[in-house]
Amino acid sequence: MTAELALLAASVVLGFVHIVVVSHLQSWQRGYRWTASSREGNVAPLTGIAGRLERALRNYLETFPFFAAAVLLAAVTRTHDWLTLWGAHFYFWGRVGYAILYAADLNPARSIVWNIPTIGILMIVAAPFTG
C-alpha cells in the first residue's frame, strides 16, 4: 500500500472521528431524548464548540470526496511522487489542524489552514499530468 492510500484510510478514520464527536456533542447539547428520537421538527442550531465542530464536519464532508478521487486517480495512473506524497500529507494533517483550530475558535488561523488540505488535493491531481 502506498503512503497516499494509507493517508486515505487514515482520512476515513478521521471522518468517523468527526462524526462520533459531533454526535456526542449534539446529544450533550440537545439531550439524549432528542438523540433517540426520530429528530423530526425544527431545532435550534448547535452553539459553541458543538456548532463549530458540526460546521467543521460539514466542511470535511465537502472536501473528502475530492481527496479520495485524487488519491484514486494517482493510484490508477500509478503516479507516486513527491507531489502525491506531500499532497496526501497536506490534506490529512491540514484537516486535523483545521478541526482543532475550528474547535478552539481561532480565527483567522482556521481560514488560513483551510488552504493546506486544498493545496494538497490540487498537488495530487496535478501529479499525473506533470510526470
Side-chain angles (χ1 to χ4, degrees):
M1 177 184 309
T2 65
E4 295 88 345
L5 288 171
L7 286 161
L8 176 58
S11 296
V12 169
V13 172
L14 179 62
F16 278 114
V17 169
H18 268 288
I19 290 168
V20 169
V21 168
V22 169
S23 174
H24 284 288
L25 291 172
Q26 284 177 337
S27 295
W28 289 338
Q29 195 165 107
R30 294 182 175 149
Y32 286 96
R33 283 187 183 263
W34 176 84
T35 303
S37 75
S38 62
R39 300 180 187 179
E40 294 175 355
N42 295 330
V43 295
L46 295 172
T47 59
I49 192 169
R52 290 191 301 274
L53 284 178
E54 181 184 47
R55 291 186 296 276
L57 169 61
R58 263 198 321 262
N59 186 270
Y60 182 84
L61 295 173
E62 291 170 358
T63 64
F64 178 76
F66 294 104
F67 173 65
V71 170
L72 294 175
L73 171 68
V76 167
T77 61
R78 291 184 169 87
T79 305
H80 174 75
D81 61 13
W82 72 271
L83 280 171
T84 61
L85 181 62
W86 280 96
H89 276 284
F90 278 17
Y91 181 82
F92 179 77
W93 295 110
R95 293 309 311 188
V96 169
Y98 179 83
I100 292 167
L101 292 170
Y102 212 144
D105 199 21
L106 294 174
N107 297 313
R110 168 188 57 90
S111 296
I112 294 167
V113 168
W114 177 89
N115 291 291
I116 295 170
T118 304
I119 290 168
I121 293 169
L122 295 174
M123 289 168 69
I124 299 167
V125 170
F129 300 102
T130 62

